[in-house]
Each structure stands twice: as C-alpha cells, then as structure tokens.
Amino acid sequence: MDKKKVMGMSFNAEISRRRFVEAMGAASALGVMGLAGCGSQRASEAGSSSTSASGVADTITFAQGADPRGLDPAYVDDGESAKIMCNIYDTLLRYDTETCEVVAGLSEMPEISDDGLTYTFKLQEGVKFHDGTDCDAEAVKASIERQLEPNRTEDMPYAGFVFGAQDSGTGIESMEAPDATTLVIKLRAASTPFVKNMAMALAAPIVAPSAFEAGTSLEQPVGSGPYKFVSWSKGENVVLEANEDYWDKDNAPKTENVVFRFIAENSSRVTALTNGEVDIIDGIDASVVDTITSGGCELFDEDGMNINYMAFRNDSGQFTAVEARRAFCQAVNVEEMVKSLYGDYAGVATSVMPLWMAPYAEKVARTEYDPDAAKAAFAELGITSCTMLTYTNPRPYNTIGGQALAEAIQGYLAKVGVNMEIVSYDWTTYKTKVETDAFDVCLYGWVGDNGDPDNFMNLLSDENVSMNVGRFRNDEYNALIQKGLETADGDERDDIYLQCEQMVADQMPWMLISHSKNLAGYSPKVKGFFYHPTGVVHMEGVTKSA
C-alpha cells in the first residue's frame, strides 16, 4: 500500500503569541519551603535547594491552586493533573515548545495510508519506563487498548474524545504491534485531528503496563518521561526527580528536582512567590499583577487557547427551553462583567473558540444584553429562581475563581427578578458534583488540548457528562462534528465549524463569557520557562540560577 509521510502540523493562527521567557540570573538561591512529609531522601534534599557546581539550583518549585485529581492520564481531565503528568509521561508525538505544531516523540511522525485509515508509527529503540520495564510497541498498545471499547470504563473521561467510539463510527478500530518498534493503528474513518490527538496531555500519554495492571498508576505513576515520580503529599505537593536515563538526550531535564506545591489562595501563592518560597506560580488574576512585578518578579502574559462559559442544564430544570436560556443571556451584561472582573487579561467571548484560532467565527451574532426583555420573558415563563453550581479554585480560563464570577452573575439575575442560589465546592469535589447533582446552570471552561477546532466544538456532542456538563444533545450538530472530523483542513472544514458556532449561538447551550490570557508569575532567577497554549508546563528545559 502506498503511504505518505506526515510532516509537522501547526495552527492556522498568529505566531505572535510566541515568546520564550528568558530571565536574568541573580546572586543566591532561596530555600524551597513546605516539603515536610516528602517520602524519600531525594525529596528531603530538594527542600534544601542546594546549588550545583555550574551555579544552577537543583530544585524548582511550581505552585498551583489545587491537587491533581490523579496521575494516570486515562482517568483525569483537569489541568492540575495534566501539568504534572506531562513531565512524567511521553506521548507518541509531542507539541513544539511554543505552539501546537506536532513533532516526533516516542515515535517518528507516522506514515498514513492514502485512504487516511492506517497509521504506522516507528518507535524509538531501547526506551525504558521508570521502573526499568520496556517501553516498546506492545506496552504502547496496552496503554491505549485499555481505553478502547470494550475495555473502556466510565471513569475514563477522555477516552472517547481521543480514541473514538464504535457507536459514532470514529476512532481506533484495531491495533497491531508486529515488532518491538512498530505500532500499526487502523481507524474506522478518516480523522484530521488524530495526529494532534496523539500528542495530547490526557489519555494519549503512555503509562507503564506494570503500573496500571497493578492498580497503582493513579497515585504512583510510572512513565518514560524526563521526570520520575517521587511522592505525593495530599494537600501539600508532588515531588519529581530527573530521569537520568531519559532516552531523548536533546530534551534531558536540566534541573534535578521539580516540586509542584498546592496553595489554594491566589494571594498566598503571590506571597510565596515574592518571598522566594516558590519559583513559579499560575492561577493569577489582574488584581495581583502589580504585586508580582513590583516585588521584582516577572509576568508571563500570552493569549490563551481557552473558553470560560456557563453551561445550562439542557435536559432538566429551568432552562430546557431555548426561550429561557435566551432570557438568561439577555439578563447578563457579559462585556461589562468581563471588563470589571478580568481587566486587560481576558476578552469577551463572542465565539466558542478564540477568534485568533477561528477568525471565521467573527461572522456569528450573539444574543445582546437586554434586561427589559429578559425580565419580561422570565415573568412570562414563570421563572423566579434557579440554582448554580460553581467551584472555588482559580482556573486557567477563570483566574478569579468560580465564586466571584457566580456572584457577579447572581447580581444581574436579581435585577430582572430571578433569585439565583449559588452552591460552591472545591474543584476536586465540584468535578463530581456536576455529574451527580441537580442544578440549573453551572460554571465551567475548557483549555484547548491540541489547537484543532474539533477539540473545542466536539465538547457539545460528547456523551460523557464530564465533558458535556450541560447534557446538550442535537443530532444535526453531531452530524456536523462527524463531518468536520473527516474533512481536510481548509475552507470546507472552516465552514463546518462556522455552522457549529452558529448553532451554539442559536441554541445557547452555553452562555459564553471570556477567553483569558495565560498568566504566570516567576522568579527572575528562572530561565527557559514557557506556559504552553494547551495549559501545561514542561519543566525539563527550565532552570534557576543561584
């Protein structure tokens, strides 16, 4: 069969976002604090943040707002987990440092058959997992196969999203490993985003069979990546150490230890950064930027690939009718709210995808703010109250946290005669509650995984409620999503996703709120740090001068 080699794939987007952060060195390293309870001598040594002969500190500490939900990419779907896991695991393919251009990873770029159905991956030779077992084609096959039907379980939220499903006629039909370095994947139907999916931080990373077969991979991960897992102290930190035998010498880790520390409050993370207790933080908002920069620290500031939205419960409750959803959207002055809450660090969302990613969506008209029309519609519909679920933690797409955003929306609803009850949970609990509890609306969001429009628009066709929290179901929309998967990049594919954007505007399963910038603060001693558009942080190239 004739085959064609796939070259690197990139955004149809501005490269203006590309900016590699380089910071000047300073004189002395401050100790990393908060490592009590780490479970190894290596972790204990990390607490001292000693300095190598080259003048590079041996530990970097990254502070985020919450614990990971887990450390096996088959079972989680959150950014807190992904930021840590992308340093532990490899993927068949990977993204370029600054964009979603796909490059070789554990495998060379695949050969694809002319019909677009058969992908042949040639793996790197001699790769070992952190426990010394072979990371060969059989291991890769096993890591993926556990997420395919009928092996797939309901607690694998990204499995169908990445690897497809029989009912929809998408994704992987079969896999073969004819030898130790060859993996052949056959798809049910051609899929334009499949190559990009193989580089994603969730579901796609390759987990050692020895770990998931033993049932320990969620809390004691074993991968083949640049860093090895050391310990996880719940509510405190996850400690990683450099993989000295990492197969990719060009991307070998430059810092001996990386600590992911968990600090829930924004202000506390900022204080930890400016005091030198931590080296990098994320989950910051406009209100703390001046504190960070006036404290002598640096700000990473780039357009993000995300959407901050409120989902209506489409299958039950007060907003099953489009007229009720329209009234809600008319009641909220989104433009005013976004400017007030986020300042210059987020823009009003007029489309599901950021316009730099899908400029054609600019043609779509959204429901405009009209409180008088909203009040009249609510009165006619008899809606005087509703319930909102929200989260308390900061999110990459909502840096102020869900409580403050919920209260702002609550204020607008009160003006049109609707009393909105707010029920809040920490992020980990919240992820369960939106699947199990009754509600009328909930706050949610999305950080793009791969730069492809399907990765955003597919959410509203997904059967998994952890992805499609509003339970939106529309056969016409699903058919467009299927067509988009099979259509090559170009004007025809753009038109399909324009139709999807228009359906979202017409049906209003979500109230779109904002697209935020990727923000992070970091010490001036840190070099080589970049916050990737997918919301993850690869630490292997990051150093801190003493």
Side-chain angles (χ1 to χ4, degrees):
M1 181 179 294
D2 291 335
K3 299 180 179 179
K4 53 190 176 184
K5 194 77 168 182
V6 175
M7 303 305 292
M9 302 174 68
S10 62
F11 281 125
N12 296 323
E14 302 172 15
I15 305 301
S16 61
R17 296 180 304 100
R18 303 183 65 163
R19 176 168 61 88
F20 215 93
V21 176
E22 293 292 342
M24 297 296 294
S28 61
L30 294 171
V32 176
M33 303 175 67
L35 289 180
C38 292
S40 73
Q41 180 62 30
R42 175 73 62 144
S44 176
E45 292 170 357
S48 67
S49 189
S50 61
T51 304
S52 70
S54 64
V56 176
D58 69 1
T59 299
I60 290 179
T61 301
F62 184 106
Q64 61 184 39
D67 278 80
R69 297 188 72 208
L71 294 174
D72 184 331
Y75 295 100
V76 295
D77 59 356
D78 65 306
E80 279 71 20
S81 302
K83 280 180 286 189
I84 300 172
M85 291 188 304
C86 72
N87 294 284
I88 299 172
Y89 299 107
D90 285 311
T91 43
L92 284 174
L93 306 173
R94 58 170 65 140
Y95 300 124
D96 176 68
T97 304
E98 302 176 51
T99 73
C100 287
E101 179 182 354
V102 179
V103 298
L106 274 176
S107 164
E108 299 174 0
M109 295 303 296
E111 292 181 341
I112 306 179
S113 61
D114 288 340
D115 61 6
L117 298 179
T118 303
Y119 288 67
T120 301
F121 294 89
K122 294 299 293 183
L123 308 185
Q124 304 288 339
E125 294 186 11
V127 178
K128 298 285 186 180
F129 289 111
H130 299 153
D131 62 359
T133 56
D134 291 332
C135 182
D136 56 15
E138 283 293 345
V140 173
K141 180 172 176 283
S143 184
I144 295 174
E145 271 187 337
R146 65 188 176 128
Q147 299 180 75
L148 305 183
E149 298 156 313
N151 306 320
R152 179 183 302 165
T153 57
E154 292 183 358
D155 53 356
M156 293 180 172
Y158 255 71
F161 202 70
V162 174
F163 300 119
Q166 294 176 3
D167 288 349
S168 60
T170 60
I172 296 176
E173 181 178 65
S174 64
M175 289 194 298
E176 296 180 0
D179 58 58
T181 60
T182 305
L183 181 71
V184 181
I185 295 178
K186 185 174 182 180
L187 303 184
R188 297 185 181 95
S191 174
T192 296
F194 183 70
V195 165
K196 293 180 181 180
N197 287 354
M198 291 299 96
M200 283 167 50
L202 298 166
I206 305 305
V207 181
S210 58
F212 63 74
E213 289 170 358
T216 58
S217 54
L218 263 174
E219 296 194 358
Q220 299 178 45
V222 180
S224 61
Y227 283 94
K228 299 188 290 186
F229 173 79
V230 175
S231 65
W232 180 1
S233 299
K234 298 294 179 66
E236 296 292 334
N237 57 57
V238 166
V239 179
L240 309 180
E241 66 179 7
N243 177 9
E244 296 177 355
D245 299 318
Y246 190 47
W247 60 271
D248 186 357
K249 301 307 179 186
D250 291 337
N251 291 288
K254 295 181 179 179
T255 298
E256 189 173 356
N257 307 291
V258 172
V259 179
F260 285 87
R261 185 174 166 188
F262 315 129
I263 304 175
E265 296 295 327
N266 278 15
S267 59
S268 298
R269 281 198 308 285
V270 173
T271 299
L273 175 66
T274 56
N275 284 348
E277 298 174 28
V278 303
D279 304 305
I280 308 168
I281 65 172
D282 69 352
I284 59 179
D285 59 42
S287 68
V288 299
V289 168
D290 287 345
T291 303
I292 289 171
T293 55
S294 65
C297 296
E298 303 290 337
L299 181 72
F300 182 91
D301 171 10
E302 293 283 351
D303 288 341
M305 185 170 65
N306 56 64
I307 176 67
N308 178 27
Y309 65 86
M310 187 200 75
F312 293 100
R313 185 73 183 256
N314 287 259
D315 63 338
S316 64
Q318 300 275 39
F319 299 104
T320 56
V322 68
E323 293 80 9
R325 300 195 292 272
R326 181 179 296 108
F328 195 112
C329 293
Q330 289 173 324
V332 181
N333 189 336
V334 174
E335 184 173 358
E336 176 186 72
M337 181 174 68
V338 169
K339 185 64 177 177
S340 173
L341 295 179
Y342 306 110
D344 295 331
Y345 297 102
V348 175
T350 59
S351 56
V352 176
M353 292 178 280
L355 289 178
W356 61 259
M357 184 178 168
Y360 47 82
E362 193 170 15
K363 302 175 183 178
V364 177
R366 297 287 171 183
T367 299
E368 295 184 358
Y369 175 57
D370 190 342
D372 292 336
K375 188 172 185 177
F378 279 136
E380 183 176 347
L381 293 165
I383 296 175
T384 59
S385 64
C386 63
T387 300
M388 170 183 278
L389 293 188
T390 191
Y391 48 87
T392 55
N393 304 83
R395 306 297 305 143
Y397 42 79
N398 176 20
T399 55
I400 63 170
Q403 185 68 32
L405 178 56
E407 290 172 359
I409 295 171
Q410 183 185 52
Y412 286 111
L413 267 289
K415 293 178 181 178
V416 296
V418 177
N419 176 46
M420 189 178 80
E421 178 188 9
I422 300 171
V423 183
S424 304
Y425 299 97
D426 67 89
W427 177 248
T428 302
T429 304
Y430 178 73
K431 291 285 289 183
T432 299
K433 292 294 186 179
V434 293
E435 297 183 35
T436 61
D437 289 14
F439 63 87
D440 296 305
V441 295
C442 73
L443 293 180
Y444 225 62
W446 183 255
V447 177
D449 296 291
N450 62 15
D452 191 89
D454 173 76
N455 188 251
F456 278 79
M457 307 310 297
N458 202 346
L459 291 168
L460 285 161
S461 69
D462 203 299
E463 294 292 326
N464 191 321
V465 296
S466 70
M467 310 295 279
N468 186 1
V469 291
R471 285 77 163 175
F472 179 68
R473 302 285 184 266
N474 185 293
D475 291 342
E476 183 182 353
Y477 185 90
N478 292 353
L480 284 171
I481 292 298
Q482 180 63 31
K483 187 176 180 182
L485 282 172
E486 299 173 358
T487 303
D489 284 328
D491 291 345
E492 182 181 355
R493 193 166 192 247
D494 288 350
D495 183 64
I496 292 168
Y497 292 111
L498 174 59
Q499 292 179 63
C500 289
E501 288 273 14
Q502 187 63 59
M503 287 192 69
V504 175
D506 294 341
Q507 296 295 316
M508 289 172 285
W510 296 347
M511 183 180 76
L512 305 181
I513 299 173
S514 60
H515 301 294
S516 73
K517 290 193 172 186
N518 283 342
L519 297 178
Y522 61 96
S523 164
K525 300 176 184 178
V526 169
K527 294 183 178 181
F529 170 71
F530 190 86
Y531 205 113
H532 197 264
T534 58
V536 300
V537 289
H538 292 276
M539 299 298 292
E540 62 268 23
V542 184
T543 61
K544 182 178 71 172
S545 58

